[in-house]
Amino acid sequence: MKIGFNEATALKCQGQSLMADLEMCEKYGFDYFEIRYDCIAKYIQEGHTLEELGVWFKNHNIKPWAYNTLEFFNQLDPFQTLAMDWHLDWIKEVCEAIGMKMLIAVPSFNVGLDKSVNDIKKEAAARLRYIAEKMGPDIRVSLEFCGVPTCSVNQFQTAYDVVEEVGLPNVGVTLDTFHFHEMGSSLEALKKADPKKIFVYHLNDCEDLPIGSCGDDKRLWPGEGVVDHESIAAALNEIGFDGVCTIEEFRPEYYAMNHEENIRKAAEVTKEFVAKYFNK
């Protein structure tokens, strides 16, 4: 199994930038890289070009994995839909310039109490189908459910239902271990999933707090919290999943670390995790 780095992990470390992240990730042996929307925007604002970034990737071992993220793609009003279309055009331009083949999409929050789960799933599926068709068949779209009570799609099984409703080969699910734990997603549903429909695997852990109560700042390095990694990994192995394991943290204490130390630690714990559960 290959390993990846999501830029959120070192986002607020002193000296962080897109290029600083890439250089450190290359140094410490990451195979893939998830680019954050705000980091690449800053990169462009500083006078760099997408073509320049594409050349960098061609000349280095680490490769782009996914654009993170298209936020709040469903339950939109007309103005929000126009804004999403503009963002999708930009994402497609980025993907084409640097050879990236994945877009992660996060569902909306606080959509109202008058919508049933079935209605939410059908509307989300229609939106994802539209996004996938706009991006084209060569770019995969991965739905990342968020383990928050107010998120419109907050469990693995709901997200998987949406993906099945879409029924396109380039639409799948992001499995984030923090989010999986936080709303009590079903291991049985995971065991029944098609591994080819799990596009992204985000690795992290969580403090021992009541389910559904944690914000992203409560994430921990894998193995330091209460997420049942053993069971999740066993389910993934059982169904034959063989993707990329990407570390994604948002913890303030980790942002206080030296930038290089943050990424060195992220590489260390990700490699240890993959060796323990997958590359045996």
Side-chain angles (χ1 to χ4, degrees), residues 12-216:
K12 297 181 181 179
C13 290
Q14 186 175 2
Q16 185 276 340
S17 69
L18 173 59
M19 292 311 303
D21 285 346
L22 281 169
E23 289 165 1
M24 286 298 109
C25 286
E26 174 98 342
K27 178 177 179 178
Y28 287 104
F30 281 102
D31 302 295
Y32 288 100
F33 191 81
E34 285 189 17
I35 293 179
R36 275 184 60 97
Y37 67 96
D38 45 359
C39 293
I40 196 164
K42 185 177 179 182
Y43 174 82
I44 297 299
Q45 289 169 352
E46 291 173 345
H48 300 285
T49 66
L50 293 177
E51 291 72 23
E52 181 183 343
L53 185 59
V55 170
W56 191 94
F57 276 117
K58 286 180 181 178
N59 292 319
H60 291 79
N61 293 323
I62 193 169
K63 299 303 177 188
W65 180 236
Y67 183 99
N68 194 323
T69 179
L70 176 69
E71 291 185 312
F72 317 140
F73 69 85
N74 60 326
Q75 303 291 332
L76 306 181
D77 62 32
F79 178 79
Q80 292 169 325
T81 300
L82 285 174
M84 183 186 74
D85 279 344
W86 176 88
H87 196 179
L88 286 171
D89 288 340
W90 162 248
I91 294 168
K92 191 168 185 178
E93 186 178 347
V94 173
C95 289
E96 290 173 350
I98 68 173
M100 188 162 56
K101 301 293 185 180
M102 186 94 71
L103 162 62
I104 297 172
V106 168
S108 298
F109 288 61
N110 302 309
V111 300
L113 300 177
D114 59 335
K115 295 180 174 62
S116 69
V117 173
N118 189 58
D119 288 342
I120 288 171
K121 288 195 290 189
K122 285 186 176 298
E123 194 272 345
R127 286 285 183 177
L128 280 176
R129 188 177 297 111
Y130 171 82
I131 292 167
E133 291 173 348
K134 187 174 178 65
M135 296 302 290
D138 293 335
I139 296 176
R140 295 192 290 174
V141 180
S142 190
L143 166 58
E144 181 168 8
F145 65 95
C146 293
V148 180
T150 55
C151 185
S152 56
V153 181
N154 58 21
Q155 290 184 308
F156 173 83
Q157 51 268 42
T158 308
Y160 194 82
D161 286 347
V162 171
V163 167
E164 291 211 301
E165 175 76 17
V166 176
L168 294 175
N170 65 326
V171 176
V173 178
T174 295
L175 169 58
D176 181 297
T177 54
F178 173 85
H179 291 313
F180 194 93
H181 168 82
E182 264 302 283
M183 285 298 291
S185 284
S186 167
L187 281 168
E188 292 308 310
L190 179 57
K191 291 176 183 178
K192 295 175 182 176
D194 179 351
K196 295 180 181 178
K197 284 295 183 183
I198 301 174
F199 287 175
V200 179
Y201 180 23
H202 281 168
L203 177 64
N204 37 62
D205 216 315
C206 184
E207 292 185 24
D208 187 12
L209 295 169
I211 285 180
S213 69
C214 294
D216 281 327

Side-chain angles (χ1 to χ4, degrees), residues 24 28 30 257 259-269:
M24 286 298 109
Y28 287 104
F30 281 102
M257 298 170 70
H259 179 257
E260 180 170 357
E261 177 61 18
N262 174 293
I263 295 179
R264 186 202 63 77
K265 176 69 173 180
E268 176 185 293
V269 298

